[in-house]
Amino acid sequence: MLEGRTGIIFGIANKRSIAWAIAQRFDEAGARLALTYQNERLGENVRELAATLRHPPLVLPCDVTEESQIEAVFETLAREFRHLDFLIHSIAFAPREDLEGAFLETSREGYRIAHEVSVFSLIALARRAAPLMAERGGSIVTLTYLGSERVMPGYNVMGVAKAALESTVKYLAAELGPKGIRVNALSPGPIKTLAASGVPGFSRMLKHVAQTSPLRRNTDPAEVADAALFFVSPLSRGITGEILFVDGGYHIMGMTMAESSGEG
Ligand code: 0WD
């Protein structure tokens, strides 16, 4: 489905990363990829993973808080790919203290960092990607979470950042739509990854979703990757500014059947 298409994926930390499941799926679908890593410590993982793909990807450093690194990535893409068909933004970060403590105690610096890394980065990357997508259109996809609209224990400032991210998706979609560039978000259920390990009580969250979601199980990263494939393929050509849940239906539930029968 992606034969002859080029794209870049931000946010692989290790083999559990959602971005890695997406990279594998897109590689199978025939895409030519660029993968980025945040720092040299993670770079080794990413290079090792990249070597297992069928089509050797470009592997580039990019800490999204460094404008010069973002610039360097897009200069390389312009030179090597010329055109960019898709961009996957799978990046989020908040200081651990700001997730563990009371929300009321959120620090000024923690709030700033969470929004810079998890939200502003999407604007910064989209700004650079847009000129490379101008010729034949493109698709930008980010990753969000239900904690943006419902209170999840331990998600705190990250929930607020995800709300800003979802709004950012809509503003970008409105502005880039006339250029043939679509912007959407995927909202997976909880998945055990490095980022998730920073969320207090995460294991309980996994268990709760497996017991109460309509599909009665947790989200598999491969399911998120398939939805990402949909968003970067022409199958979704009429869709932009959308938040698509890939969570076994968890987000539709009010009260569970077990709770209503007094068993829950
Ligand atoms: O349950 C989950 N795992 C869910 C994750 C449910 C719903 C949504 N998501 C979202 C996350 O919020 C994030 O936006 O999916 C996205 C990907 O997260 P992931 O795959 O769960 O986690 P991980 O494998 O840790 O990838 C996120 C990576 C970082 O990892 P760590 O844990 O080392 O912070 O984002 C990258 C980094 O590799 N990252 C950065 N990349 C460039 N510059 C930066 C930065 N400054 N900071 C973090």
Side-chain angles (χ1 to χ4, degrees), residues 10-14 16-20 36-39 41-42 62-66 89-93 117-118 142-146 155 158 162 165 186-197 202 205-206:
F10 293 85
I12 302 177
N14 59 32
R16 288 175 182 267
S17 298
I18 296 170
W20 174 238
T36 68
Y37 56 90
Q38 184 191 349
N39 52 43
R41 187 174 53 80
L42 298 175
C62 187
D63 182 327
V64 293
T65 62
E66 299 287 338
H89 173 273
S90 185
I91 290 174
F93 179 76
V117 175
S118 320
T142 186
L143 274 295
T144 186
Y145 180 56
L146 180 63
Y155 208 58
M158 191 48 84
K162 291 301 194 191
L165 180 71
L186 293 169
S187 188
I191 297 173
K192 205 165 180 205
T193 62
L194 193 59
S197 67
F202 189 77
M205 206 185 249
L206 277 176

Side-chain angles (χ1 to χ4, degrees), residues 1-7 22-33 54-55 85-86 229:
M1 217 176 322
L2 298 182
E3 215 64 57
R5 304 269 162 176
T6 54
I22 296 174
Q24 288 174 292
R25 189 72 191 90
F26 287 10
D27 180 61
E28 280 165 23
R32 188 166 174 220
L33 297 175
R54 283 200 296 204
H55 310 85
D85 293 293
F86 57 84
L229 181 61

Side-chain angles (χ1 to χ4, degrees), residues 45-259:
N45 287 343
V46 178
R47 276 188 291 270
E48 273 173 26
L49 292 172
T52 66
L53 295 178
R54 283 200 296 204
H55 310 85
L58 292 176
V59 182
L60 307 167
C62 187
D63 182 327
V64 293
T65 62
E66 299 287 338
E67 199 59 39
S68 60
Q69 291 191 23
I70 296 180
E71 247 170 63
V73 164
F74 282 93
E75 273 166 22
T76 306
L77 291 182
R79 201 173 56 238
E80 298 286 329
F81 287 179
R82 224 179 53 82
H83 181 84
L84 198 62
D85 293 293
F86 57 84
L87 181 153
I88 305 294
H89 173 273
S90 185
I91 290 174
F93 179 76
R96 209 184 173 101
E97 316 79 83
D98 290 292
L99 297 176
E100 276 171 353
F103 179 66
L104 195 61
E105 299 303 327
T106 303
S107 68
R108 189 178 292 267
E109 187 60 1
Y111 186 94
R112 187 193 67 72
I113 292 172
H115 284 74
E116 179 182 2
V117 175
S118 320
V119 188
F120 178 75
S121 61
L122 179 65
I123 303 172
L125 298 180
R127 180 151 68 219
R128 301 276 174 185
L132 295 180
M133 292 179 165
E135 213 173 286
R136 54 180 200 235
S139 173
I140 297 174
V141 181
T142 186
L143 274 295
T144 186
Y145 180 56
L146 180 63
S148 62
E149 49 180 287
R150 311 241 189 107
V151 175
M152 298 292 174
Y155 208 58
N156 293 4
V157 71
M158 191 48 84
V160 178
K162 291 301 194 191
L165 180 71
E166 291 173 17
S167 183
T168 300
V169 163
K170 293 171 191 172
Y171 276 88
L172 287 174
E175 213 164 274
L176 294 174
K179 296 183 174 146
I181 301 170
R182 298 183 293 111
V183 188
N184 292 291
L186 293 169
S187 188
I191 297 173
K192 205 165 180 205
T193 62
L194 193 59
S197 67
V199 178
F202 189 77
S203 305
R204 280 199 306 281
M205 206 185 249
L206 277 176
K207 202 170 154 201
H208 175 71
V209 170
Q211 286 171 345
T212 59
S213 65
L215 296 184
R216 294 288 193 280
R217 57 178 171 79
N218 286 120
T219 303
D220 180 345
E223 296 167 342
V224 184
D226 282 345
L229 181 61
F230 168 68
F231 266 157
V232 304
S233 84
L235 292 178
S236 63
R237 64 195 175 279
I239 303 173
T240 193
E242 189 64 26
I243 316 295
L244 178 65
F245 287 91
V246 187
D247 66 348
Y250 179 78
H251 71 285
I252 68 166
M253 298 305 290
M255 193 185 232
T256 65
M257 300 304 174
E259 280 164 348

